[in-house]
Amino acid sequence: MMKWTLPIVAVFILSACQSAYYGTMEKFGVEKRDILVDRVDDARDSQSDAQKEFRSALERLDTMLNIDGGELEQQYNALRDDYEDSKDAAEKVRSRIDEVDEVANDLFDEWSEELGEYSNDNMRRESERQLRETERRYAELLRVMERAADKMQPVLDKMQDNVLYLKHNLNAKAIDAIRGEFSNLQNDISVLIKDMEAAVAESNRFIEAMKDSQS
């Protein structure tokens, strides 16, 4: 019985904490839509940071494949660090997207419920129109962000394979072995970066649209 009770209790606690957070922010004049814009902004920044990390790892591997002898171990250590940084950046992107989605759903639920509180039909219809338009823009934003995020793990898996292989075979033969796979990884990272750039651009459009709707 306890194993079912604890998760339910945890959900209630988290929900209560989130409600308390929203309540506190509202006291300072910060509404859910403001929090959503801030979180989209954070998600955009995390995607930009992730782009840099993946580019750095790709450049490091490219350099490593074109050196001889003495610098190999030094470059391997740097590549391993680049992989870890890329992994951390990817996790942050995922976390930021989850945070965006959480407040977006809370905003839309609240907005939808409050439509029933209008006594003026024209105002209610206009508010509902704005809600549907915001939901549409958000759905597109989430789709683009998740498309880019979904491509991070396959790239990380390939990067990890290279790092692990080099760890145990730090020699010219190992370099030759992964050189054949490099073009595939290079292409994957290029596609990932392109999708991340699209996600950043969509984030900017969403933020501007939300700000314009308040002015």
Side-chain angles (χ1 to χ4, degrees), residues 43-82:
R44 178 196 60 192
D45 291 346
S46 70
Q47 290 164 333
S48 295
D49 291 342
Q51 285 183 57
K52 295 175 185 176
E53 296 299 345
F54 279 105
R55 275 200 186 98
S56 176
L58 181 64
E59 291 167 1
R60 184 81 60 187
L61 186 57
D62 185 33
T63 299
M64 191 170 187
L65 294 177
N66 291 282
I67 63 173
D68 296 315
E71 299 180 28
L72 197 54
E73 184 170 358
Q74 179 183 349
Q75 288 295 324
Y76 160 74
N77 289 332
L79 176 64
R80 180 193 60 203
D81 290 343
D82 284 338

Side-chain angles (χ1 to χ4, degrees), residues 18 21-22 25 32-47 93 95-104 106 141 145 203 206-207:
Q18 192 70 1
Y21 168 71
Y22 289 142
M25 295 301 287
K32 290 184 181 68
R33 65 184 299 114
D34 302 313
I35 298 171
L36 175 58
V37 169
D38 286 343
R39 290 189 180 181
V40 171
D41 188 77
D42 289 341
R44 178 196 60 192
D45 291 346
S46 70
Q47 290 164 333
V93 167
S95 177
R96 295 299 192 198
I97 292 175
D98 289 344
E99 290 171 359
V100 166
D101 200 39
E102 178 183 51
V103 72
D106 289 340
L141 171 64
M145 287 196 301
S203 297
F206 183 84
I207 290 170

Side-chain angles (χ1 to χ4, degrees), residues 115-116 118-129:
L115 290 175
Y118 280 94
S119 59
N120 185 303
D121 288 341
N122 289 333
M123 288 182 175
R124 179 187 57 77
R125 283 193 291 269
E126 177 58 20
S127 183
E128 184 173 14
R129 184 195 66 77

Side-chain angles (χ1 to χ4, degrees), residues 70 75 77 95 110 141 163 178 184 195 202 206 209:
Q75 288 295 324
N77 289 332
S95 177
E110 178 185 73
L141 171 64
V163 170
I178 67 172
N184 290 331
D195 283 348
E202 191 64 35
F206 183 84

Side-chain angles (χ1 to χ4, degrees), residues 13-30:
I13 291 173
L14 289 173
S15 178
C17 290
Q18 192 70 1
S19 296
Y21 168 71
Y22 289 142
T24 300
M25 295 301 287
E26 286 175 4
K27 289 179 181 178
F28 290 96
V30 180

